[in-house]
């Protein structure tokens, strides 16, 4: 994570204040508030900055174990785990964290195996009261080729639109 991506360095406007306040609430109470948190918005709206601000705040203010990855990294590690017969290590890595932050979840579209693994990981972490945060370039319902049960899990918590202020 980029250490410069903090809540203090994020420009808060009337357009994005709800998403920022939800992100602050999640960072102050991981696993208790808005779980999972799903942040969506167009390119350049600040999704990556905000998800990393959550991670940086938690990292600086707790002993929680945090994993931040892009969806492409998660998918690549999943495929590598299958190819190398190391799925136990893959599952162990992602299920033994306190906070899982996945950026750009739209890349899970059309990847049924990785979607299934993400679904089970979400269930495992939610049951353990661990925090999940996802970003996406569109609302969950606009994702194509995503299983119904994964879509349902992604919408289980709070979905917030990070509107880009064009002023």
């Amino acid at each position: 994570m980029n250490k410069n991506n903090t809540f203090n360095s994020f420009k808060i406007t009337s357009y994005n204040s709800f998403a920022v306040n939800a992100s602050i609430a999640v960072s102050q109470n991981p696993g208790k508030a808005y779980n999972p948190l799903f942040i969506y918005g167009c390119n350049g709206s600040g999704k990556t900055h905000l998800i990393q601000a959550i991670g940086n705040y938690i990292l600086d203010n707790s002993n929680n174990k945090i994993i931040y990855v892009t969806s492409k990294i998660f998918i690549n590690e999943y495929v590598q785990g299958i190819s190398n017969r190391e799925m136990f290590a893959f599952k162990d890595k992602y299920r033994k964290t306190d906070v899982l932050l996945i950026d750009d979840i739209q890349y899970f579209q059309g990847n049924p195996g990785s979607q299934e693994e993400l679904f089970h990981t979400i269930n495992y972490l939610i049951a353990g009261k661990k925090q999940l945060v996802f970003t996406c370039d569109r609302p969950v319902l606009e994702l194509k080729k995503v299983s119904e049960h994964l879509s349902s899990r992604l919408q289980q918590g709070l979905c917030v639109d990070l509107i880009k202020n064009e002023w």
Side-chain angles (χ1 to χ4, degrees), residues 127-156:
K129 303 207 184 306
K130 308 301 181 183
Q131 183 66 52
L132 294 120
V133 182
F134 304 103
T135 68
C136 190
D137 65 355
R138 66 198 79 166
V140 174
L141 294 176
E142 291 181 17
L143 291 170
K144 308 287 186 226
K145 297 182 182 175
V146 171
S147 69
E148 207 171 291
H149 61 277
L150 177 57
S151 178
S152 175
R153 282 295 173 269
L154 294 172
Q155 296 176 78
Q156 180 177 333

Side-chain angles (χ1 to χ4, degrees), residues 53-71:
I54 293 167
N56 284 324
Y57 183 91
I58 295 170
L59 193 62
D60 292 343
N61 293 284
S62 75
N63 293 320
N64 287 323
K65 182 179 176 190
I66 300 167
I67 295 178
Y68 166 81
V69 292
T70 65
S71 60

Side-chain angles (χ1 to χ4, degrees), residues 12-27:
I12 301 173
T13 68
S14 60
Y15 296 98
N16 65 23
S17 62
F18 183 73
V20 173
N21 287 328
S23 298
I24 291 169
V26 163
S27 67

Side-chain angles (χ1 to χ4, degrees), residues 2-165:
N2 182 340
K3 291 301 275 174
N4 294 322
N5 287 341
T6 65
F7 293 117
N8 289 336
S9 65
F10 192 87
K11 184 178 179 188
I12 301 173
T13 68
S14 60
Y15 296 98
N16 65 23
S17 62
F18 183 73
V20 173
N21 287 328
S23 298
I24 291 169
V26 163
S27 67
Q28 292 174 343
N29 297 293
K32 296 180 178 87
Y34 312 127
N35 199 15
L37 177 62
F38 187 91
I39 304 167
Y40 66 94
C42 65
N43 289 336
S45 61
K47 299 179 300 292
T48 296
H49 186 129
L50 205 52
I51 196 172
Q52 289 186 5
I54 293 167
N56 284 324
Y57 183 91
I58 295 170
L59 193 62
D60 292 343
N61 293 284
S62 75
N63 293 320
N64 287 323
K65 182 179 176 190
I66 300 167
I67 295 178
Y68 166 81
V69 292
T70 65
S71 60
K72 288 183 179 182
I73 291 172
F74 184 97
I75 293 166
N76 287 340
E77 288 180 2
Y78 168 77
V79 170
Q80 204 170 27
I82 291 173
S83 297
N84 297 337
R85 296 186 174 147
E86 296 174 347
M87 283 307 292
F88 180 78
F90 173 85
K91 290 177 183 185
D92 200 46
K93 173 184 176 178
Y94 285 102
R95 295 181 186 182
K96 288 194 174 179
T97 190
D98 298 309
V99 180
L100 179 58
L101 311 169
I102 302 182
D103 210 354
D104 293 324
I105 203 140
Q106 66 270 12
Y107 294 109
F108 277 87
Q109 295 178 105
N111 288 289
S114 59
Q115 287 180 36
E116 190 67 19
E117 184 56 41
L118 179 61
F119 172 77
H120 292 296
T121 298
I122 291 170
N123 286 342
Y124 185 88
L125 293 174
I126 292 282
K129 303 207 184 306
K130 308 301 181 183
Q131 183 66 52
L132 294 120
V133 182
F134 304 103
T135 68
C136 190
D137 65 355
R138 66 198 79 166
V140 174
L141 294 176
E142 291 181 17
L143 291 170
K144 308 287 186 226
K145 297 182 182 175
V146 171
S147 69
E148 207 171 291
H149 61 277
L150 177 57
S151 178
S152 175
R153 282 295 173 269
L154 294 172
Q155 296 176 78
Q156 180 177 333
L158 178 65
C159 298
V160 293
D161 187 357
L162 189 58
I163 300 169
K164 184 178 178 182
N165 184 356

